[in-house]
Amino acid sequence: MPHHRLALCKEDFLSWFERYTERTIKEFRMFSKEDKVLVAVSGGKDSLALWYVLRKLGYRADGFYLHLGIGEYSERSKEKVEKFANSLGAKVIIKDLKEELVGIPELEKVTSRSACSVCGMLKRYNFNKVAKEHGYTVVVTGHNLDDEASSLLANVVNWNTKYLGRKYPVLEEEEGFVRKAKPFCKFTEKETALYALLRGIDFIEEECPYSEDATSIFFKEILNRIEEKFPGTKMKFYLEYLRKVYPKFRERKEGKVQPCKVCGEPSPAEVCPVCKLKERIGGVKIIKDGA
Ligand code: SF4
Ligand code: ZN
């Protein structure tokens, strides 16, 4: 690991990885052993490894799986999650998007947004809602350094300053939002994959069929090419953003959100985008003022 100036054997790597996760949790004051942690699991290497490490470190961490209705891919990933929860002896909450709405493939056809954009919105909405309904104090996701740095690069290229004020390893709870944290944000994708493999975690290797279109893959490749030539750039790019740029653009949601009139979740308008989507496909009727 040239960016850490470390070369470790299997056993040392596993314990280094776990200690480093604990250090990141403490560095950003993400949560404590008193918190009830909900791990958003997809069946992939990052989220399952995160769930494993948190429980190994003694955190009270349960899983949440959102079934996206993406054919065989969703079925297989759900099976992996259920099997993994059993092996951990941990609780997993499973919610099927089709019970309230329809799956991602159908949604992609009725909206002008890409599958990933609708999917991202529904994931954020459900992670927050389910966590509150079940009394969890923090939602954690398995985003790694490659995810964070590539999305940062894509947003810098477009000078999306709104993004620059929102992305941080921990986002405090405020106005209807539970706290969110990313304890793997300082690990590269290679490191999380290696940890999952060495621990024998049975994760879903196939990618979501929509991920081929994802712009993030393109930006990840660019960053990997820079990293090859200048080791450590990826980490520096992300950490210096956290230190120097985020504080300048940081924005609070105060006054910018209100409870949605239909579901009560925090929303930028009277009715949240998810309820609007539901109405569009005939799921719920939106009650307007005085109606
Ligand atoms: Fe959702 Fe896109 Fe990720 Fe597939 S690749 S799970 S559609 S965000
Ligand atoms: Zn709503």
Side-chain angles (χ1 to χ4, degrees), residues 125 260 263 272 275:
Y125 176 89
C260 165
C263 69
C272 78
C275 287

Side-chain angles (χ1 to χ4, degrees), residues 181-248:
K182 299 170 184 172
F184 279 0
C185 65
K186 287 170 80 173
F187 288 129
T188 62
E189 200 157 324
K190 268 190 198 157
E191 286 159 359
T192 57
L194 192 57
Y195 182 85
L197 285 170
L198 293 177
R199 276 272 174 242
I201 292 172
D202 182 17
F203 57 87
I204 184 155
E205 286 181 48
E206 70 186 270
E207 296 282 345
C208 166
Y210 292 104
S211 67
E212 281 162 25
D213 304 331
T215 336
S216 69
I217 294 179
F218 176 75
F219 282 99
K220 276 182 186 171
E221 282 169 5
I222 293 180
L223 273 173
N224 283 338
R225 284 176 60 189
I226 301 176
E227 184 74 21
E228 258 173 42
K229 209 152 174 61
F230 308 104
T233 307
K234 212 186 275 180
M235 181 77 103
K236 199 169 169 205
F237 177 57
Y238 179 59
L239 293 185
E240 292 296 275
Y241 153 74
L242 295 181
R243 205 166 66 83
K244 296 177 181 163
V245 184
Y246 174 78
K248 289 201 170 61

Side-chain angles (χ1 to χ4, degrees), residues 36 38-40 64 66 93 95 120-141 171-181 253 257-260 263-267 272 274:
K36 264 189 87 187
L38 189 62
V39 189
F64 170 55
L66 181 64
I93 301 168
K95 184 171 174 181
M121 173 182 84
L122 288 164
K123 279 183 191 164
R124 284 190 296 276
Y125 176 89
N126 281 291
F127 294 167
N128 196 57
K129 193 162 187 276
V130 168
K132 285 191 296 182
E133 284 168 357
H134 293 265
Y136 290 93
T137 47
V138 57
V139 173
V140 298
T141 52
L171 294 176
E172 289 303 326
E173 56 271 38
E174 54 179 332
E175 292 197 30
F177 291 99
V178 294
R179 200 179 330 146
K180 316 263 164 30
K253 293 197 178 74
V257 293
Q258 52 189 300
C260 165
C263 69
E265 281 298 290
S267 160
C272 78
V274 173

Side-chain angles (χ1 to χ4, degrees), residues 44-66:
K45 62 180 184 349
D46 300 293
S47 55
L48 294 189
L50 176 59
W51 195 6
Y52 182 92
V53 174
L54 291 184
R55 289 185 68 92
K56 190 155 193 285
L57 291 170
Y59 290 98
R60 300 193 293 162
D62 296 329
F64 170 55
Y65 176 80
L66 181 64

Side-chain angles (χ1 to χ4, degrees), residues 144-171:
N144 57 45
L145 178 63
D146 292 54
D147 298 323
E148 296 304 279
S150 62
S151 117
L152 176 60
L153 181 61
N155 282 284
V156 165
V157 165
N158 290 302
W159 287 122
N160 182 359
T161 51
K162 236 178 156 186
Y163 169 96
L164 299 179
R166 280 200 306 237
K167 289 286 162 173
Y168 202 69
V170 60
L171 294 176

